[in-house]
Amino acid sequence: MFTNVMAMDGSRLMPTSNIKKVRKLLKSGRAKIFGHNPFTIQLLYETEHNLQPVELSEDTGYENIGLSVKSEKHEYTSRELKTLTDEKQHHDSCKKYRRTRRNRKRYRKPRFDNRKATKPKGWIPPSLEHKVDLHVREVKRYMKICPVTRINLEVGQFDTQVLAAVEKGEPVPKSVDYQHGPRYGYDTQREAVFARDGYCCRICGRSSIKDGVILRVHHIYYWKHDRSNRLWNLAAVCTDCHCPANHQPGGALYKWDPELPGLQGAAFMNTVKWYIYEQVKAAATEINPNCEVKITYGAVTKRERLNRHIEKSHANDAYCIGMFHPKHRSRPRYFEKVR
C-alpha cells in the first residue's frame, strides 16, 4: 500500500510504501493529512525532490473505468470504478419535477421561441457528458497529488478509422496518437467482428464470455470464392460450428447469408473518444504543462494482457496500458456506483 506525498511548497513527490514512517511523521507533527481519497500527506519541512517518470493509464468505458498509476518499478494505485447508468432517467426525473413546480407558480407568458435553433459546437448528450466528466475527474484527482509525466487512455476496443481505411484501400492513418503493435490491424479486425456479433456464435448463439466457447472469424461467402477481409464478409462462429461438415453443401455455413448488425455504436463512441482526449489533455496541461497524453485501443491492451497471462479485469487492463509494467503491483480497489 502506497501513500501519496506532497512537499511543503505544494509540489508533488513520489509515493511511499513506508507506512511506519508516515505514522511517525503525522504523530510528531512533521506532516499533516492532505487528503483521504486517496490518502495523501503533506510534509511540513524542506526535503529533496527526487522524481521518477510516472504514468497514469486509464481504461475508459461507459459502465466501468480502470485506473493504474505506476512507474518503472512499482504500481502505486490500481482502481476499478463502476459508474451509474441512469443519468438519462435522473435528468428526466428532474425535468418532471421542474415542470410541476412551474405549473404551480403564477401565470407566465409562454416562451417557446427562446431556444437556439442549432446546438453549440462540441455539444454531446448529458448522459455522455457525465461519463466524460467522470474520466476527467479521476485523472485530475491523481494529477494533483502524484508527479504524473504521461497519461495513456484506452478509448475503444478497435479503431473504426483504421477499418474504414483498410476496406477502401486507403493508407492507414498514422500520427503520434496511434500506438500500433506488429499485429494491430489483425487484432482490430477480429475485435470488431466479435464485438459487432456480441461475442456470440452466429450459428448456435453460444457466448465466449458466458459459455466459454472459442470463436473464429468465418468468411461468409467462401462458397462464392470470396475470401476478402471486409466486415460484411466476416462473422463470429464457434469452433464446433466452424467444422468441415458445415462448409460442405447442405451444411449450416454453406450458402449462409446472415443479417449482420452494424457498427453505429462503435462509430459513435469513436467520435466521443476525441472529446474525452481533449478534455483530459486540457486538464492535464493545466496541472503539468509537460505532461503528454496518448491514446491506445483495446486490441493492443488485449494482446499485452494475453502475453503476460493476466486475467481479464478493468484494473488489469489499465495496468497493461502504456510503457511501464512493473513487477511490484498494487492491490486493486473496487468502487461501486460512483456518480
Side-chain angles (χ1 to χ4, degrees):
M1 180 178 179
F2 285 86
T3 301
N4 298 285
V5 183
M6 302 287 291
M8 187 176 180
D9 58 358
S11 58
R12 297 168 292 278
L13 301 177
M14 296 298 295
T16 178
S17 60
N18 194 339
I19 305 300
K20 186 176 180 180
K21 184 178 181 179
V22 171
R23 291 175 179 174
K24 286 185 177 181
L25 290 174
L26 293 174
K27 189 175 182 179
S28 62
R30 302 185 65 194
K32 65 177 183 180
I33 297 178
F34 185 82
H36 291 85
N37 185 23
F39 188 75
T40 309
I41 65 171
Q42 183 176 14
L43 303 180
L44 301 179
Y45 61 91
E46 296 293 340
T47 185
E48 296 181 357
H49 293 61
N50 298 321
L51 302 180
Q52 304 171 12
V54 177
E55 68 177 5
L56 186 153
S57 300
E58 189 176 53
D59 177 21
T60 63
Y62 186 77
E63 295 185 4
N64 300 282
I65 301 175
L67 190 139
S68 176
V69 181
K70 54 195 175 177
S71 65
E72 189 175 0
K73 295 183 178 180
H74 299 281
E75 184 183 29
Y76 305 117
T77 301
S78 179
R79 298 181 65 185
E80 186 170 318
L81 301 95
K82 188 174 183 64
T83 66
L84 295 175
T85 57
D86 60 343
E87 188 66 15
K88 184 180 184 302
Q89 290 81 356
H90 180 72
H91 281 269
D92 292 342
S93 179
C94 291
K95 181 170 64 176
K96 180 183 66 174
Y97 288 113
R98 184 170 59 250
R99 287 180 174 178
T100 305
R101 183 174 65 253
R102 286 176 177 175
N103 290 335
R104 292 198 302 264
K105 299 180 72 173
R106 62 177 175 81
Y107 173 78
R108 294 185 300 175
K109 184 178 179 180
R111 296 183 297 174
F112 59 88
D113 57 348
N114 64 342
R115 300 292 187 268
K116 294 183 179 180
T118 58
K119 294 181 175 63
K121 184 178 180 180
W123 180 90
I124 60 175
S127 57
L128 291 182
E129 185 177 10
H130 163 67
K131 302 299 181 183
V132 174
D133 292 341
L134 285 179
H135 291 83
V136 177
R137 185 184 70 184
E138 293 303 315
V139 170
K140 293 174 65 176
R141 186 197 302 272
Y142 286 93
M143 284 283 298
K144 292 179 179 179
I145 60 175
C146 196
V148 177
T149 57
R150 181 173 56 249
I151 297 176
N152 304 293
L153 300 174
E154 182 190 297
V155 292
Q157 193 67 14
F158 46 86
D159 187 1
T160 56
Q161 297 180 20
V162 172
L163 295 176
V166 171
E167 289 195 357
K168 294 179 181 178
E170 299 175 354
V172 175
K174 295 182 179 180
S175 68
V176 295
D177 295 330
Y178 285 86
Q179 299 180 358
H180 290 172
R183 303 183 66 185
Y184 176 76
Y186 177 71
D187 285 339
T188 298
Q189 192 173 56
R190 292 180 75 254
E191 288 297 331
V193 174
F194 293 160
R196 181 202 62 191
D197 295 343
Y199 294 91
C200 296
C201 175
R202 300 291 299 180
I203 298 295
C204 64
R206 291 185 297 171
S207 170
S208 63
I209 300 175
K210 297 180 180 179
D211 304 318
V213 298
I214 300 176
L215 297 179
R216 297 186 180 276
V217 177
H218 169 68
H219 291 82
I220 300 175
Y221 299 107
Y222 73 95
W223 51 278
K224 292 183 178 180
H225 306 288
D226 183 2
R227 298 185 180 275
S228 61
N229 290 326
R230 294 180 174 84
L231 286 179
W232 53 263
N233 191 36
L234 302 175
V237 180
C238 69
T239 53
D240 295 336
C241 298
H242 198 262
C243 59
N246 283 338
H247 285 76
Q248 301 301 321
L253 298 176
Y254 193 78
K255 292 188 178 182
W256 176 50
D257 191 8
E259 294 185 5
L260 301 176
L263 289 171
Q264 291 84 357
F268 183 69
M269 292 305 298
N270 207 43
T271 303
V272 177
K273 76 182 179 188
W274 297 114
Y275 191 82
I276 297 177
Y277 169 78
E278 292 174 357
Q279 294 292 322
V280 170
K281 187 174 183 178
T285 306
E286 183 179 354
I287 300 174
N288 182 8
N290 298 324
C291 181
E292 56 178 335
V293 182
K294 295 186 176 182
I295 66 171
T296 184
Y297 295 92
V300 181
T301 305
K302 181 180 179 180
R303 177 64 53 184
E304 184 68 30
R305 177 167 50 81
L306 293 177
N307 290 339
R308 295 182 177 274
H309 305 287
I310 302 176
E311 63 179 6
K312 167 66 177 177
S313 73
H314 298 283
N316 289 337
D317 283 347
Y319 166 80
C320 295
I321 299 171
M323 297 177 59
F324 297 149
H325 305 95
K327 294 182 179 179
H328 302 284
R329 296 199 57 191
S330 176
R331 179 181 299 177
R333 301 176 63 191
Y334 299 94
F335 297 83
E336 298 288 334
K337 298 181 179 180
V338 294
R339 187 188 292 278

